[in-house]
Amino acid sequence: MSRQPDIAATRLGAAKPSASMAAKARADAMRAAGRHIIDFTIGEPDFPTPAHIVEAGANALKHGHTRYTASAGTVELRAAIARKLKRDNQLHYKTNEIVVGCGAKQVIFNAFMATLNQGDEVIVPAPYWVSYPEMVLINGGTPRIVNCDARDGFKLRAAALEHAITPRTKWLVLNSPNNPTGAVYSATELRALGDVLDRHPHVHIMADEIYEHFVYGGAKHVCLLNANPALRSRTLLVNGLSKSHAMTGWRIGYGAGPAGLVQAIVLLITQSTTCAGAAAQAAAAAALDGPTQSVTDAARMFESRRNRLIERLSGIEGVHCETPDGAFYVFASVAGLLGRQAPTGKWLQSDTEVAEYLCEEGGVVAIDGTSYGLSPFLRFSFATSMSEIDRGCDAIEAAVSRLKPR
Ligand code: PLP
């Protein structure tokens, strides 16, 4: 059955709305109905944009930055992005190799729209950020999902990549640090994938590194192109300020890649959104050129919350999780809860049902692994306060203790 209304184009096919946005909407609706909710769905920092960035945006407005900008993004912002790529990643990009989008999401969507022909395949390692496969489908491509086992740290291995590549493969999507698992690829792991890609020059790589600044416990973010410089001519680096600078609502992301691909993405922007907001672009330039302390502070804060969430979840019988190296999510196995019976008499058969049970019984909202392409898991975001983490885990513990064993 099609989930789309009759008026929808066939292009939409069976594409689903974003599961994370849907979970957030559910939590918001329950809250609005007066229910106390502990929300572990949050995919954004829970603190405001640093003051110096807000000020730069406000100043831009006061100084008349209230008009359309170049569709690729202002020269000032693209120059700031080029400086960032040089400073943080030792990569050299010219401004015509950089495009600014309304969030990284628009860059990714437009890259697929600009390049996919009907039936072209996109390799998406699972668990994946919910939007990749849907964006591929909407743009006429075929997602080729490759399961990455928990035993492999949820990472794509070279042999699995080799096996998944076909003559129709247009893109490989590689997201490190990863949403939803927090997996961070090492230089060695990236080089092993690079060796495979060397043998298949028709495959392009979308390297989504939007969580690059959030790595913990000695883990190091390695940019795909630092491990594999030869892939530069067929890689689109995707990044943005939503997570690093708590700027989700400003909607600024960017891509850096070969000029021809960037030009094709810009063409779509000229015919769709025209450009990202002028003041938001000025704020983003100030963020990239400004002090980095707020980013470092955020990373340390997330690290202590990660440690607390792991400690608490690990103490709940039936829940199992490894410590993630990056991003702000824990992808916990709930295999140990399947087959148990809720006080209502319902037997829990899937992670989706476990998520529903925790929501109804404990007022705790987390997102089922099924939505991310791997079951039976739940994704918990630790972009929330320590006290919410504690209260949420108390509620989960209590709800789990009310389950009858198999
Ligand atoms: N990529 C990943 C892996 C994400 O998790 C997200 C947001 O959740 C995005 C891209 C999009 O970020 P934005 O469009 O806010 O820049």
Side-chain angles (χ1 to χ4, degrees):
M1 191 187 71
S2 167
R3 280 180 220 81
Q4 313 299 341
D6 287 345
I7 192 157
T10 45
R11 188 178 347 100
L12 287 199
K16 300 189 287 292
S18 160
S20 40
M21 297 306 283
K24 179 178 172 349
R26 184 174 185 199
D28 289 346
M30 288 176 72
R31 223 179 265 118
R35 188 100 198 255
H36 188 81
I37 287 299
I38 301 148
D39 189 356
F40 283 113
T41 70
I42 304 165
E44 58 185 338
D46 57 321
F47 41 83
T49 306
H52 69 281
I53 302 173
V54 175
E55 207 171 311
N59 276 339
L61 288 172
K62 282 186 202 145
H63 289 96
H65 292 257
T66 54
R67 297 170 184 265
Y68 296 134
T69 74
S71 288
T74 63
V75 174
E76 292 76 15
L77 176 53
R78 282 181 289 144
I81 293 166
R83 284 190 289 276
K84 180 266 173 226
L85 291 169
K86 190 165 165 219
R87 186 182 58 237
D88 294 352
N89 314 105
Q90 299 77 52
L91 296 170
H92 297 268
Y93 280 88
K94 299 199 204 73
T95 47
N96 70 340
E97 296 172 308
I98 293 170
V99 53
V100 174
C102 301
K105 208 168 193 174
Q106 188 193 22
V107 174
I108 299 168
F109 188 94
N110 283 1
F112 287 145
M113 185 181 248
T115 57
L116 291 179
N117 291 312
Q118 199 66 35
D120 281 350
E121 293 172 10
V122 177
I123 297 176
V124 181
Y128 44 71
W129 177 46
V130 291
S131 292
Y132 300 132
E134 305 304 321
M135 289 184 185
V136 171
L137 283 168
I138 290 169
N139 287 302
T142 304
R144 176 108 195 214
I145 309 296
V146 181
N147 281 344
C148 302
D149 208 86
R151 277 169 307 198
D152 285 329
F154 301 111
K155 292 181 199 174
L156 178 66
R157 296 297 170 200
L161 172 61
E162 181 78 66
H163 185 71
I165 293 174
T166 76
R168 293 299 309 261
T169 307
K170 194 79 162 241
W171 289 98
L172 160 68
V173 177
L174 213 54
N175 173 214
S176 174
N178 182 273
N179 175 6
T181 64
V184 176
Y185 286 72
S186 69
T188 310
E189 289 161 342
L190 290 174
R191 271 196 289 273
L193 296 176
D195 289 345
V196 175
L197 293 162
D198 283 345
R199 293 194 286 277
H200 301 279
H202 67 291
V203 179
H204 295 76
I205 305 96
M206 185 176 294
D208 181 346
E209 303 189 349
I210 197 161
Y211 294 96
E212 82 168 299
H213 294 295
F214 297 144
V215 284
Y216 316 116
K220 201 170 158 309
H221 167 73
V222 181
C223 176
L224 173 80
L225 291 181
N226 291 149
N228 301 288
L231 295 178
R232 189 188 190 283
S233 62
R234 50 189 170 116
T235 294
L236 181 67
L237 277 184
V238 177
N239 211 321
L241 291 96
S242 285
K243 319 286 176 178
S244 55
H245 294 79
M247 289 180 73
T248 46
W250 298 76
R251 308 308 301 127
I252 298 290
Y254 56 90
L261 171 63
V262 163
Q263 218 175 6
I265 294 172
V266 174
L267 184 143
L268 292 171
I269 295 177
T270 68
Q271 297 296 10
S272 52
T273 48
T274 300
C275 60
Q281 292 190 60
L288 291 175
D289 281 340
T292 53
Q293 194 57 43
S294 64
V295 182
T296 319
D297 290 347
R300 294 294 70 82
M301 185 166 68
F302 285 137
E303 180 161 10
S304 44
R305 292 170 175 186
R306 171 200 74 155
N307 295 346
R308 177 73 66 93
L309 181 58
I310 287 292
E311 184 194 321
R312 291 296 316 267
L313 285 177
S314 304
I316 299 173
E317 197 263 316
V319 177
H320 175 80
C321 48
E322 299 295 337
T323 305
D325 286 330
F328 37 66
Y329 310 103
V330 170
F331 203 60
S333 168
V334 290
L337 300 180
L338 300 187
R340 299 198 192 179
Q341 193 179 28
T344 56
K346 185 176 169 57
W347 296 93
L348 302 182
Q349 311 280 19
S350 67
D351 52 11
T352 313
E353 291 181 359
V354 173
E356 271 165 23
Y357 172 72
L358 293 180
C359 182
E360 292 307 320
E361 187 75 14
V364 172
V365 194
I367 307 179
D368 56 283
T370 307
S371 298
Y372 298 94
L374 200 71
S375 312
F377 292 87
L378 292 184
R379 189 195 79 164
F380 294 89
S381 162
F382 47 88
T384 188
S385 67
M386 281 290 195
S387 56
E388 282 293 275
I389 290 173
D390 277 336
R391 283 182 336 109
C393 290
D394 288 345
I396 297 169
E397 214 160 16
V400 166
S401 73
R402 289 194 284 277
L403 290 171
K404 280 207 212 106
R406 284 168 256 233

